[in-house]
């Protein structure tokens, strides 16, 4: 699906954006009738719009026939609000009204110079009347200026709107494409760094029925290839596979700072006591977080890897990996926040 189509869906009707906003305001599931009553909208309209959002995994039903926004849906709403903050509240409706409008905006932004009307007409597959109306819309909004007759150039404001549109549609497309993974991240998914998600370097790897170890093998390979001097991370499970990966690093001279929660620590004491005792003589700092952890995280060299786990089996189900500075900075802040709440665990000799 073209990323513009998501914007077109949202901007085509104010009721759709209102519905997304009303769902974002709810922290608990709500019935469709209650949603309709918030803005005196018909249930038919609510049902129809929710069907589309459910298809994209922006919303989900619970067991009591109530609906709620998913983590992906909340990211979509965050991306929309950020777009409006950067481009103006009217920009989504205008740009969503026709694919020719953002196409022309991007063309002018990429060109970054004065261009003649005939050149624009050749570059954009739109009729003369459509092109003229779009350019009039740009100049009216101060997105473009006319240095001379039939000559156009994007203004600084227009360039800002173009950047905001690219960031918004990129994030919207990425979140929707990877909604199943995003929705497995739990509450941490709500604060994913939107500007980094659509970066070309972001890699998403999910386990498959025929390849259940795909994500953990991806993580193991990345760690082995990097052979980092230092690794800091968070893990919500007691996993012998992860233990072996990290033990190999430690034995080759790496240092590790690892945060686990109380449940993981107690499980490790009961099932892997020898591993904990062995940690006493290895360069690993282990920290215990007071709250239950929902995600995994590893930061080493220039990359950060975020892990989503199967809530039933506890196996690593998916990884998000990136060397984008914005993603790594976000991951480092996330680790620091959890480290500040954790207490150091001293393994017994």
């Amino acid at each position: 699906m073209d990323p513009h189509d998501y914007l077109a869906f949202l901007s085509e009707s104010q009721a759709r954006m209102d519905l997304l906003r009303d769902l974002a305001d709810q922290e608990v599931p709500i019935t469709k009738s209650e949603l309709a009553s918030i803005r005196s909208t018909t249930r038919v309209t609510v049902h129809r719009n929710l069907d589309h959002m459910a298809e994209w995994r922006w919303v989900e039903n619970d067991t009591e026939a109530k609906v709620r926004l998913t983590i992906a849906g909340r990211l979509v709403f965050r991306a929309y609000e950020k777009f409006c903050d950067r481009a103006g509240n009217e920009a989504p409706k205008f740009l969503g009204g026709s694919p020719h409008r953002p196409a022309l905006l991007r063309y002018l932004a990429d060109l970054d110079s004065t261009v003649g009307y005939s050149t624009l007409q050749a570059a954009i597959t739109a009729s003369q009347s459509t092109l003229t109306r779009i350019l009039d819309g740009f100049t009216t909004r101060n997105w473009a200026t006319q240095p001379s007759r039939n000559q156009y150039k994007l203004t600084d404001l227009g360039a800002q709107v173009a950047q905001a549109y690219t960031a918004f549609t990129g994030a919207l497309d990425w979140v929707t494409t990877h909604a199943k993974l995003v929705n497995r991240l739990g509450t941490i998914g709500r604060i994913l760094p939107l500007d980094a998600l659509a970066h070309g370097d972001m890699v998403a790897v999910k386990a498959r029925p025929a390849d259940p170890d795909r994500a953990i093998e991806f993580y193991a390979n990345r760690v082995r290839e990097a052979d980092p001097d230092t690794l800091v991370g968070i893990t919500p499970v007691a996993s012998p596979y992860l233990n072996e990966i990290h033990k190999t690093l430690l034995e080759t001279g790496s240092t590790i700072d690892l945060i686990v929660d109380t449940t993981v620590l107690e499980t490790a004491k009961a099932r892997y006591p020898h591993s904990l005792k062995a940690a006493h003589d290895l360069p690993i700092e282990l920290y215990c977080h007071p709250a239950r952890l929902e995600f995994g995280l590893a930061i080493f060299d220039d990359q950060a890897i975020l892990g989503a786990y199967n809530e039933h089996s506890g196996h690593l189900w998916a990884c998000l990996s990136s060397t984008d500075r914005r993603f790594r900075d976000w991951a480092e802040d996330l680790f620091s926040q959890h480290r500040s709440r954790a207490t150091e665990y001293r393994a017994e000799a």
Side-chain angles (χ1 to χ4, degrees):
M1 187 168 176
D2 190 298
H4 179 269
D5 292 340
Y6 299 119
L7 176 60
F9 168 79
L10 290 173
S11 62
E12 189 176 52
S13 166
Q14 184 61 42
R16 293 173 181 170
M17 198 57 243
D18 289 341
L19 178 61
L20 194 64
R21 180 174 286 105
D22 292 339
L23 283 165
D25 289 340
Q26 307 296 322
E27 288 298 331
V28 295
I30 184 173
T31 66
K32 296 173 184 178
S33 297
E34 289 172 325
L35 274 173
S37 67
I38 292 176
R39 298 182 187 270
S40 300
T41 309
T42 66
R43 288 188 61 185
V44 172
T45 299
V46 169
H47 274 262
R48 185 168 58 246
N49 291 332
L50 284 174
D51 284 345
H52 285 290
M53 294 182 185
E55 179 184 347
W56 300 326
R57 293 191 173 94
W58 296 358
V59 299
E60 63 184 2
N61 296 304
D62 74 355
T63 55
E64 298 179 355
K66 294 182 179 181
V67 296
R68 64 180 176 184
L69 215 55
T70 62
I71 301 300
R74 290 189 178 278
L75 283 176
V76 167
F77 182 68
R78 262 186 62 205
Y80 183 88
E81 285 198 311
K82 187 171 184 177
F83 179 43
C84 289
D85 287 343
R86 294 176 62 184
N89 291 329
E90 196 268 342
K93 185 175 182 180
F94 176 73
L95 291 174
S98 165
H100 296 306
R101 296 170 185 174
L104 182 60
L105 188 67
R106 284 195 303 265
Y107 181 80
L108 285 169
D110 291 342
L111 202 61
D112 192 27
S113 62
T114 301
V115 60
Y117 184 92
S118 58
T119 302
L120 293 176
Q121 195 171 25
I124 305 299
T125 57
S127 66
Q128 183 174 339
S129 59
T130 297
L131 180 60
T132 299
R133 283 197 302 272
I134 295 173
L135 287 169
D136 287 345
F138 283 7
T139 55
T140 299
R141 291 169 175 78
N142 194 32
W143 294 359
T145 185
Q146 281 186 277
S148 59
R149 189 172 181 273
N150 288 331
Q151 296 286 313
Y152 295 87
K153 189 180 189 303
L154 214 59
T155 62
D156 290 342
L157 175 60
Q160 177 180 308
V161 173
Q163 290 174 355
Y165 174 83
T166 299
F168 170 65
T169 53
L172 199 60
D173 183 47
W174 190 94
V175 168
T176 306
T177 299
H178 299 287
K180 189 175 180 181
L181 188 163
V182 169
N183 290 336
R184 288 279 191 97
L185 289 172
T187 55
I188 204 68
R190 291 188 179 199
I191 60 171
L192 285 172
L194 291 170
D195 287 345
L197 294 181
H199 191 267
D201 150 89
M202 180 70 74
V203 177
V205 177
K206 292 180 291 193
R208 297 168 178 164
D211 191 4
D213 295 327
R214 187 167 179 253
I216 191 70
E217 288 178 355
F218 170 84
Y219 173 67
N221 289 335
R222 282 293 173 100
V223 171
R224 291 190 192 108
E225 289 168 4
D227 189 21
D229 293 331
T230 302
L231 181 149
V232 301
I234 297 172
T235 178
V237 298
S239 164
Y241 200 163
L242 286 175
N243 289 346
E244 283 302 313
I245 294 170
H246 296 152
K247 183 182 177 183
T248 300
L249 274 183
L250 293 167
E251 290 174 342
T252 57
S254 300
T255 61
I256 295 178
D257 287 3
L258 190 64
I259 300 173
V260 299
D261 59 40
T262 305
T263 301
V264 172
L265 192 56
E266 292 303 317
T267 301
K269 286 179 181 179
R271 297 182 61 185
Y272 315 111
H274 298 300
S275 295
L276 279 178
K277 288 182 179 180
H280 181 272
D281 299 318
L282 293 171
I284 180 171
E285 295 291 341
L286 195 62
Y287 302 91
C288 185
H289 193 272
R292 188 75 178 99
L293 298 169
E294 300 177 308
F295 64 96
L297 183 69
I299 306 168
F300 51 93
D301 290 352
D302 64 344
Q303 63 188 302
I305 299 178
L306 185 67
Y309 285 76
N310 184 301
E311 60 183 332
H312 302 297
S313 68
H315 293 151
L316 184 63
W317 177 78
C319 288
L320 285 182
S321 174
S322 178
T323 57
D324 181 73
R325 187 72 237 181
R326 292 164 296 185
F327 188 74
R328 184 184 164 89
D329 287 348
W330 173 83
E332 288 176 344
D333 287 343
L334 190 62
F335 178 84
S336 296
Q337 291 167 19
H338 284 74
R339 170 66 185 85
S340 66
R341 294 187 60 200
T343 55
E344 187 174 356
Y345 172 79
R346 288 293 181 184
E348 299 177 359

